[in-house]
DNA sequence: AATGTCTTTTAGGGCTGTCTAAATTAAATA
DNA sequence: TATTTAATTTAGACAGCCCTAAAAGACATT
């Protein structure tokens, strides 16, 4: 089994990778809080393993092999199942679960993974709305878009929020914005300006900066403002 | 915070230590599945840390300092809380909990420790009957003795069993012997021979070899065969 | 096409925790 | 007490993962 460090690299590559599936040395170094030189060293080692979890080309970053992707998804499955478990069974708030899960994801067995999943009724999303990869490596489909890409006037529902920053999560909690919350985008200031929203069943008016809005994803609105999915 | 390896050493010293509080190099090597030379090296390093978790004298093994003992108890508290949690909340059988807890004990935060304890109602013993150290480092008292030290004719109750060997635990399960089970020692063959027992409410007759019996501890019987505690 | 900047890689180390082989010390026995 | 045996320690090395400093490559701009 891969070491914790290796699993962290695979997860990071998966999370950073865009359409071409590549993650740059610098972005990995940032994400993992490690010097760029350390990333280079690790990628070189991983690329010559057998089976190799990553493909690596000098100066062109890393890409996960099928094998590496499988492993990354398994670790992410662990992470999200644990987050949900802590939230549902042990009263953790959604801004507390990430750090705890970050350590536990490396320590649980297949057996514990299975029992947690069973206990939670084979859930499809974690407390932040992120899909939980299935055991077979497929991901429950979820069509959503960034709140930033929403057109003015749209009514929709929060699908998920980024789970990395507890500060932002606490802030969103205060605003009453969690997965499932309804939103009505009433106005958007130009030049990456703030968004005006009506939030939840009471249509509370809130103003959201673009950095925070970028962490929120919503279900695709229909023409008349209703949401699908 | 100490590394996992260090925590494992401290726990091992605590568990091996007898009356004088010492654990030999060889016994630690055996318990930790590590070469004796590795133990020597680690003990030397630990002894010069500040604060030092162990006192070490060449050729005379290691002893925990107050500081080290505190840490060992904390790790053991984690271990036993996790064992009980897996047993009660996730349907683990008592022979399955040890290995899982062995990894998780290093990964949980203070916060998670507290919530688990709370969820379980601040329990005093784990599924094998071992006392769970309290947060302040004290240990719930429990007067018991080895089944091997019981006099013939005594009636008593199982207090706890060793948790290291899943095979033995499964065997004891089959025999219906778990913490709380009543026992009547009817006969003992000489020269470390087997023990004849009547087990449980139905007084099922069972024969137990001395190696297995040595893993079982029982409450002190009173003169007439009743048990205290 | 040359320059300068930014990214990435190479080179050389460090720390932790492990190992084997050889040397030493302690304990048991003659 | 001398000798043998068993336990322990020293010496030297290695794997994994990290670091800094310096060199090299990629890329945008002039």
């Amino acid at each position: 089994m891969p070491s914790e460090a290796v699993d962290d690299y695979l997860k990071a590559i998966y999370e950073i990778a865009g359409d071409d599936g590549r993650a740059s040395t610098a972005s990995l170094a940032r994400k993992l809080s490690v010097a760029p030189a350390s990333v280079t060293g690790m990628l070189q080692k991983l690329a010559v393993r057998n089976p190799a979890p990553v493909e690596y080309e000098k100066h062109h970053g890393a890409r996960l092999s099928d094998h590496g992707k499988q492993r990354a998804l398994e670790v992410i499955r662990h992470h999200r199942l644990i987050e949900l478990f802590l939230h549902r069974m042990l009263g953790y708030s959604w801004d507390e679960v990430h750090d705890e899960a970050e350590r536990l994801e490396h320590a649980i067995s297949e057996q514990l993974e299975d029992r947690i999943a069973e206990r939670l009724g084979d859930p499809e999303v974690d407390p932040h709305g992120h899909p939980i990869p299935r055991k077979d490596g497929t991901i429950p489909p979820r069509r959503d878009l960034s709140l930033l890409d929403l057109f003015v006037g749209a009514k929709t529902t929060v699908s998920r929020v980024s789970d990395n920053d507890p500060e932002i999560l606490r802030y969103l909690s205060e605003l009453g914005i969690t997965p499932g919350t309804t939103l009505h985008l009433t106005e958007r200031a130009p030049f990456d300006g703030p968004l005006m929203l009506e939030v939840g069943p009471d249509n509370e008016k809130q103003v959201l900066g673009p950095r925070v809005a970028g962490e929120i994803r919503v279900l695709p609105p229909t023409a008349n403002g209703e949401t699908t999915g």
Side-chain angles (χ1 to χ4, degrees), chain A residues 79-93:
Chain A
H79 183 95
R80 295 186 178 163
L81 280 172
I82 291 167
E83 284 193 343
L84 189 61
F85 186 82
L86 294 173
H87 183 63
R88 284 238 209 108
M89 313 293 276
L90 289 167
Y92 272 66
S93 63

Side-chain angles (χ1 to χ4, degrees), chain A residues 7 24 28 32 59 86 89 91 98 105 116 125 128 130 134 144 150 163 166 191 198 217-218:
Chain A
D7 276 344
S24 72
L28 286 169
L32 295 165
H59 294 284
L86 294 173
M89 313 293 276
H98 181 78
E105 66 186 13
I116 288 175
V125 294
H128 311 99
H130 297 289
R134 305 200 185 92
D144 56 14
L150 209 60
D163 71 341
F191 309 116
E198 292 173 6
R217 293 184 72 82
V218 298

